[in-house]
Every structure is written in C-alpha cells, then in structure tokens.
Amino acid sequence: MGTMVNFHAHPDDEAIATSGTMMKAADEGHRVVLVVATKGEQGEVASDALSPGETLGERRTAETHDAAGIIGAHRVEFLGYEDSGMAGDEANDNPACFWQADFDEAVERVAGILAEESADVLTVYDDHGGYGHPDHIQVHRVGVEAARQAGVERVFYVTMNRTQIKRQMAEVESFAEAIEEMDAEQVERFEGDDFGTEEADITHAVDVSAYLERKRAAMLAHTSQITAESFFGTMTDEQFADAFSTEWFVAPGPPRTGDFATDLFR
C-alpha cells in the first residue's frame, strides 16, 4: 500500500476535482492526505449563512474536515495562506495570499509534508490551474517543485476533459440542461480554450462511478458554497453522472499513445 497526497487551493476543490479518486485509494487501503493552501476566504456566501462572530474561513475549514470524513482522508493540513481571489481581483495583491507567497518557503512546507508522509503519489492542478485561478496555478508551481525536492516521482495534474465537456454541451441533453442553469461567467469558462485539457493530452482516467453518491455528499458538505439550490446541488443523478463519473489527470512526460491509464499508483 502507498500514500497519496492531494494538494488543493481552497475548501471544496478537493470534493469537486479528486474526491472520487481519493475515496477509491482509501478503500483500496492506501493512505490519503489532503493539503489545502488557503481557507477560501474570498468565496461567495449568503449574508445569513454564518453564525454570529464566525468567519468564512472558519466555516470553510470545518466544512473541509466534514468532507474529508466522507472521503475517508486520513490527514488534513491547511498551509494557512489567504485566498487570492479570481484573476484580476484586488485580493491578488494581498501580501498574505497564496499568489504572493514566498515560493521557496511554500515549497519547503509542502516538501516537508511529502517527506513526512513518504508520499508515493502527489496530485496538483495543471499548469494553468484548470481555468486560470491564481491559487490553482500556484498549487501547480509549488507542488511540482516540492515533489522534485522530496523525491516524489509520481506526480499527476488533475484537470478537466475539455473535449468531453464541449461534446456534452453539444450532444448530451441532460448536460445541456444543466449548463442552462449556469451563469454567463461559468459558461464562458467552459467554452474557453484555457479551460481544462484536450482529451488527446490526458493520460489517466479514473472511473469513480462507484463513488458518485459519496462524491456528491462530499461536495454538499461544503454548505457555504454548494447548497441544494446551487448548480451542483440541482443536477439530476443523470447529469451528475455525466459530469463526474470520471476524474482526469495528466502525467508529465511522453504523450499517451494507447488507452487511458486508470491507476495513479501503477
């Protein structure tokens, strides 16, 4: 058995992007570790969603631990940087945010966790952070260098299958109906060429269809961000399965020439 470390930018990223892979690894007997760079302080939240005196960061930290319990993660670590907000936000200039973090210091902290855990596998985002989010890009940069320093050879870039998403938008009725419920900014992200990765460039496809119910529960554990009335919360079972039955990864190195690999440990 081995140890998988999953490095994410904000609370709920882990549930959306890699929770099925994490559940599968844990169920197979591997140790699963979640590292989160920030507490997601820039997330949107309804004015009455927090308790008196409670900060959004505190709430999202608690939600992450709730989701980790559903996932089966064995350890959760927050690096303590502040959320940088979306690209171009004023929050990008906050000296305490992850985007402005001292690179060497951040690398040392992540490399220390990898070494402490004797990590066999590390997942980070692709080099453009999936959709250009500064904190996601920083996770890639920091994580790749931390893995190099800690000697972790199996590094995977979690991504989205751009080809599949565009195909679903055009062909799959249930997915098209879900897209109609999204706001214009979300739709624009899906349609951009800097969103996710072309299918031909993806190397690993992890089938997580057996974990969809738990995956949705892990996402909904982030109640300040993903409510029952939200885009993810209102997806039918069919729509959710269309969107989330497979989690996609890119292994750096030679391009894929045959079928997708399906196991991050082999």
Side-chain angles (χ1 to χ4, degrees):
M1 295 298 101
T3 297
M4 170 190 287
V5 176
N6 303 269
F7 185 19
H8 284 281
H10 317 99
D12 80 18
D13 288 336
E14 85 295 336
I16 297 168
T18 62
S19 61
T21 300
M22 295 166 72
M23 292 171 192
K24 183 174 184 290
D27 284 358
E28 291 173 351
H30 300 293
R31 179 169 169 82
V32 175
V33 177
L34 172 62
V35 178
V36 189
T38 81
K39 296 179 180 179
E41 296 91 342
Q42 295 297 320
E44 297 181 0
V45 62
S47 59
D48 59 350
L50 302 178
S51 301
E54 182 184 33
T55 68
L56 181 56
E58 290 170 341
R59 168 64 66 85
R60 298 193 73 181
T61 298
E63 291 170 352
T64 301
H65 284 282
D66 289 343
I70 296 168
I71 291 168
H74 300 90
R75 176 182 177 184
V76 178
E77 285 289 335
F78 281 86
L79 298 184
Y81 297 103
E82 294 185 16
D83 188 344
S84 306
M86 298 295 293
D89 288 355
E90 291 183 5
N92 296 172
D93 299 323
N94 174 9
C97 78
F98 189 46
W99 183 241
Q100 297 293 338
D102 181 277
F103 182 75
D104 291 336
E105 178 186 85
V107 167
E108 182 179 3
R109 295 175 67 183
V110 176
I113 295 172
L114 296 175
E116 181 181 341
E117 290 288 345
S118 299
D120 300 285
V121 172
L122 172 67
T123 70
V124 295
Y125 306 113
D126 54 35
D127 60 2
H128 55 282
Y131 57 95
H133 194 296
D135 287 332
H136 289 224
I137 295 171
Q138 190 77 314
V139 163
H140 173 86
R141 293 172 177 171
V142 170
V144 168
E145 177 60 18
R148 187 190 69 80
Q149 293 189 16
V152 180
E153 296 182 356
R154 300 190 68 79
V155 179
F156 298 91
Y157 308 157
V158 60
T159 191
M160 291 159 283
N161 187 331
R162 182 193 309 156
T163 308
Q164 179 201 47
I165 290 172
K166 289 185 175 181
R167 183 168 59 242
Q168 288 173 323
M169 290 174 68
E171 299 177 1
V172 180
E173 182 178 353
S174 63
F175 195 82
E177 290 172 355
I179 291 294
E180 290 178 358
E181 301 300 320
M182 299 171 65
D183 61 36
E185 182 180 355
Q186 290 173 316
V187 172
E188 185 177 353
R189 288 183 203 162
F190 272 119
E191 294 176 340
D193 286 337
D194 59 350
F195 183 92
T197 303
E198 290 292 339
E199 189 168 279
D201 298 323
I202 295 174
T203 60
H204 287 64
V206 179
D207 179 1
V208 300
S209 56
Y211 298 94
L212 286 177
E213 185 175 349
R214 284 173 60 193
K215 182 178 175 80
R216 192 196 286 262
M219 291 166 63
L220 291 173
H222 293 277
T223 55
S224 68
Q225 305 299 301
I226 304 175
T227 66
E229 293 75 36
S230 68
F231 169 63
F232 293 133
T234 58
M235 294 176 87
T236 66
D237 289 345
E238 180 184 8
Q239 291 167 348
F240 195 82
D242 286 342
F244 292 111
S245 287
T246 304
E247 293 177 351
W248 307 95
F249 300 86
V250 177
R256 175 174 56 86
T257 56
D259 293 337
F260 294 112
T262 59
D263 192 326
L264 303 191
F265 284 91
R266 295 184 297 189

